[in-house]
Amino acid sequence: MHEFSVVSSLLENCEQIAKDNQASKVLAIHLEIGERSGVNADLLKRAFLDFKIGSICEDAELFIRLVKVKLFCENCKQSSQAVGINYTQCPLCGSSSVAIIEGNEMLLLRLEME
């Protein structure tokens, strides 16, 4: 379960950001997780509950916004949301000349600190 290492890295980043901003605690962490990021949001939340104990994030709430896969088609020059798990074909024109432009990332959007 690589969510443990993801949470560990997330907490390290949050602690550094809090330190850089002279904050004594982190109250909320806002993440964006793409459905193709390879991170399971439910497992991440569970790991966060265990790993935050004793850290500057101990009282923090974790907010996760899930992002669907968005494709860009080189053939029709349109962007569209992928249909189901078909990430290799444009849902508009059927071309296989597509690239994922959203939905494969995990981003730390915002920290609320005091």
Side-chain angles (χ1 to χ4, degrees), residues 55-99:
S55 77
I56 197 168
C57 300
E58 186 165 10
D59 297 325
E61 286 189 67
L62 181 63
F63 299 94
I64 297 175
R65 182 168 132 337
L66 299 174
V67 178
K68 297 283 187 185
V69 170
K70 189 173 187 180
L71 304 171
F72 179 78
C73 178
E74 289 295 331
N75 186 52
C76 68
K77 306 295 186 209
Q78 299 291 316
S79 59
S80 59
Q81 189 170 319
V83 177
I85 59 170
N86 186 356
Y87 310 125
T88 60
Q89 189 174 25
C90 176
L92 303 174
C93 73
S95 171
S96 60
S97 296
V98 295

Side-chain angles (χ1 to χ4, degrees), residues 1 4 7 11 44-54:
M1 182 159 70
F4 288 152
V7 167
L11 290 174
L44 186 80
K45 287 178 189 177
R46 280 189 246 152
F48 177 76
L49 292 175
D50 290 336
F51 278 73
K52 73 177 186 171
I53 296 170

Side-chain angles (χ1 to χ4, degrees), residues 28-41:
I29 301 169
H30 297 264
L31 299 177
E32 182 176 275
I33 300 177
E35 68 180 349
R36 289 284 297 163
S37 67
V39 176
N40 181 303

